[in-house]
């Protein structure tokens, strides 16, 4: 009798574990990605016209609980959606406000222990600094690049991004320092060898 009860308990426990695995490993991530795709379709089709609509659409996948998918949604939102929104509105007189609003919207969702997320923040604030000339945006971009540098000091996107940022700023001292680091790891990079001579 005891063995039968133990077997039944084990079977029920395994069934519950299997169901939980399916829910947390497949169903919730699928629902989160479906919400993201719906939001993306809204932006690409032109249905999402205002910032409030944009936030409402993308808050759904960002706020939806799933143990898998948060990192990817923020990465795709930062790189795909925001970049395309900026490209589509590049000639708009409101480009500065658009980039500022998008950067401020995505920044709280960035994971500061993931270089891909950090680089999205750096690139967003670099774009904002370029369209606005706002020193605060430059400092935020530099903050994100330095944070990424702490995690991955040899990563090419980090080093080349920092080099571009300092070149655009006209900061020859820091640009030369980063240029030296790049050449230490990739001594045959001719473009970097001649970059500051230009």
């Amino acid at each position: 009798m005891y063995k039968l009860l133990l077997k039944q308990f084990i079977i029920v426990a395994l069934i519950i574990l299997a169901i939980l695995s399916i829910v947390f490993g497949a169903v919730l991530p699928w629902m989160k990605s479906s919400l993201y795709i719906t939001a993306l379709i809204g932006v690409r089709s032109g249905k999402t016209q205002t910032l409030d609509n944009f936030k409402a659409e993308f808050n759904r996948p960002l706020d939806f609980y799933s143990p898998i998918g948060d990192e990817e949604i923020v990465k795709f939102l930062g790189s795909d959606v925001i970049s395309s929104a900026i490209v589509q509105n590049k000639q708009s007189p409101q480009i500065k406000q658009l980039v500022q609003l998008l950067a401020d919207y995505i920044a709280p969702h960035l994971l500061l222990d993931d270089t891909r997320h950090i680089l999205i923040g750096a690139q967003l604030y670099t774009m904002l600094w370029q369209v606005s000339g706002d020193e605060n945006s430059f400092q935020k971009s530099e903050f994100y690049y330095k944070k990424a540098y702490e995690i991955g000091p040899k990563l090419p996107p980090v080093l080349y991004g920092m080099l571009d940022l300092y070149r655009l700023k006209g900061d020859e001292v820091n640009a030369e320092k980063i240029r030296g680091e790049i050449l230490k790891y990739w001594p045959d990079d001719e473009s970097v060898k001649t970059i500051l001579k230009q």
Side-chain angles (χ1 to χ4, degrees), residues 6 22-23 33 35 38-39 63 95 113 138 140 152 154 160 170 177 186-187 194:
L6 184 61
I22 291 169
V23 168
S33 63
L35 288 170
T38 302
D63 294 341
I95 187 67
D113 59 353
F138 171 83
K140 285 183 180 179
K154 295 180 183 179
Y160 284 89
K177 179 181 162 194
W186 302 283
T194 60

Side-chain angles (χ1 to χ4, degrees), residues 9 43 59 84 102 117 122 126 137 147 152 168 171 186 191 197:
F9 175 76
V43 168
N59 280 347
S84 67
L102 293 173
H117 278 224
T126 298
S137 298
K147 194 80 178 157
L168 288 169
D171 184 343
W186 302 283
S191 63
K197 294 175 186 172

Side-chain angles (χ1 to χ4, degrees), residues 73-187:
I73 288 201
V74 172
K75 183 183 82 168
F76 290 131
L77 175 63
S79 59
D80 297 340
V81 177
I82 291 178
S83 296
S84 67
I86 291 167
V87 168
Q88 289 171 6
N89 294 283
K90 213 163 194 138
Q91 304 305 320
S92 167
Q94 288 87 23
I95 187 67
K96 176 184 167 186
Q97 291 88 345
L98 175 66
V99 178
Q100 177 75 60
L101 290 168
L102 293 173
D104 290 345
Y105 174 70
I106 194 69
H109 299 286
L110 296 173
L111 302 174
L112 293 180
D113 59 353
D114 183 320
T115 52
R116 291 174 297 180
H117 278 224
I118 297 168
L119 287 172
I120 289 167
Q123 292 159 358
L124 277 172
Y125 282 105
T126 298
M127 278 190 258
L128 181 56
W129 170 62
Q130 287 179 294
V131 297
S132 69
D134 178 37
E135 185 64 24
N136 190 38
S137 298
F138 171 83
Q139 289 171 356
K140 285 183 180 179
S141 178
E142 186 180 39
F143 163 79
Y144 281 113
Y145 274 122
K146 285 181 175 179
K147 194 80 178 157
Y149 182 81
E150 286 174 19
I151 296 170
K154 295 180 183 179
L155 291 174
V158 175
L159 292 170
Y160 284 89
M162 290 178 82
L163 178 62
D164 287 341
L165 181 71
Y166 289 131
R167 280 184 54 231
L168 288 169
K169 177 74 170 166
D171 184 343
E172 292 179 22
V173 173
N174 281 317
E176 181 59 40
K177 179 181 162 194
I178 299 299
R179 178 179 165 270
E181 277 196 62
I182 291 171
L183 290 175
K184 181 170 70 173
Y185 303 124
W186 302 283

Side-chain angles (χ1 to χ4, degrees), residues 9-25:
F9 175 76
I10 291 171
I11 290 170
V12 169
L14 289 173
I15 290 171
I16 290 170
L17 281 173
I19 290 170
L20 289 175
S21 296
I22 291 169
V23 168
F24 287 102

